[in-house]
Amino acid sequence: MHKLFSGITILLILCAFFGTLTASEHAIQYLFPKPGSSLLPAGTEVLIRFQEVNPNQIANLHNFIEVVGEKSGSVSGEITILKDQKTIHFLPDLPFV
């Protein structure tokens, strides 16, 4: 059975087709959970909403989010662009520990 809560690290590699973005208040409107968050339920989904960037322009979208479980290590998952065309959603393949 997986632990209910885990520490995770979320690394954002903000590289767009036309150059590197900075994770500033102007680039990201909403981020859940915040980078470095801990005590989150195993398998927590990640949401990132951009203020001005269209996620379709991110050349490395499949590598954009890295989730690392404190014990399970790197966690793979599926990244999708939501209907608003500003938000990406990361759903882990498996709960992490």
Side-chain angles (χ1 to χ4, degrees):
M1 178 171 239
H2 297 283
K3 289 174 82 177
L4 180 57
F5 294 100
S6 294
I8 64 168
T9 302
I10 300 169
L11 305 174
L12 301 179
I13 305 167
L14 299 176
C15 295
F17 182 75
F18 294 109
T20 301
L21 299 171
T22 58
S24 72
E25 60 196 52
H26 302 291
I28 296 177
Q29 184 178 30
Y30 179 79
L31 174 62
F32 176 83
K34 292 182 180 181
S37 294
S38 60
L39 300 178
L40 297 168
T44 296
E45 299 175 16
V46 178
L47 292 169
I48 301 171
R49 182 175 184 167
F50 297 99
Q51 198 156 347
E52 299 174 11
V53 175
N54 181 335
N56 290 306
Q57 295 177 319
I58 299 173
N60 64 336
L61 189 60
H62 63 282
N63 293 347
F64 188 73
I65 300 173
E66 180 179 3
V67 176
V68 180
E70 190 174 351
K71 294 182 181 178
S72 59
S74 186
V75 177
S76 62
E78 181 180 341
I79 295 177
T80 55
I81 299 172
L82 300 184
K83 289 181 182 182
D84 68 1
Q85 296 297 304
K86 291 184 178 183
T87 307
I88 59 174
H89 173 256
F90 173 82
L91 178 63
D93 290 334
L94 299 169
F96 43 86
V97 190

